[in-house]
Amino acid sequence: GTYGIIGDYAVIITAAHVVDDCSAIIVSSYSGQMEAARVAYLDIEADIAVLYVDPMRSMPQKKFNFLRPKRDMIGKAVVYSGNPNRIGLLTIYGNVAGYSYNRMIIHSYAWMGASGSGVFDSNGNFVGVVSAISIGRWLMPQLVEDVVYVAPIYYINEGALLGTLEVLHNDT
């Protein structure tokens, strides 16, 4: 997931399938700070989730700069940082290749474990989270690691999310 600030609240945005069946969520920064998190937004179909968390001292307090793209990003450069295959933090570059159903498709590279990584455009706008890689069908199913599906953040209703974050904040 990607840590940032929405309104006055610290959040982590990730893929819904990363947290959808969790009864308790503990998040940690790369410096080892750990915090309990609660789901503030969960859209299984779009595969995007927002977690409410207490501000993490070890992380930059950067406000998310959301981009609400229409389907006009084809060919644009994107980047994400993630922890695929538990080998450590990697930064991966790619380009938007197209759209399919409710996902953006990037020509990049992803492995298991990259799910939920924040995807940013070349201007630093947060555009979505890594959701899945393609499963090819030929003689048998095969992973196509350079066709990466991204859950775009434009599915998040920011007004409703801010209301939920306020309730969660006042509940602590």
Side-chain angles (χ1 to χ4, degrees), residues 78-161:
V78 292
V79 62
Y80 77 89
S81 292
N83 187 25
N85 203 29
R86 298 184 182 180
I87 58 176
L89 184 64
L90 298 178
T91 299
I92 311 295
Y93 295 88
N95 294 81
V96 177
Y99 298 86
S100 179
Y101 302 103
N102 60 350
R103 301 284 194 286
M104 177 186 297
I105 300 171
I106 61 174
H107 183 245
S108 184
Y109 202 81
W111 306 266
M112 306 301 181
S115 292
S117 299
V119 179
F120 295 84
D121 71 6
S122 59
N123 294 318
N125 296 304
F126 187 81
V127 297
V129 296
V130 173
S131 176
I133 58 176
S134 185
I135 305 294
R137 306 265 184 238
W138 191 55
L139 295 176
M140 59 187 206
Q142 55 190 329
L143 300 177
V144 184
E145 296 97 345
D146 63 342
V147 177
V148 181
Y149 291 92
V150 173
I153 56 100
Y154 55 73
Y155 283 101
I156 297 174
N157 179 327
E158 286 181 79
L161 174 59

Side-chain angles (χ1 to χ4, degrees), residues 1-5 10-13 53-56 59-62 64:
T2 301
Y3 175 83
I5 306 296
V11 299
I12 294 173
I13 300 179
V53 64
D54 284 335
M56 299 181 79
M59 300 293 291
Q61 302 299 303
K62 182 176 177 357
F64 280 111

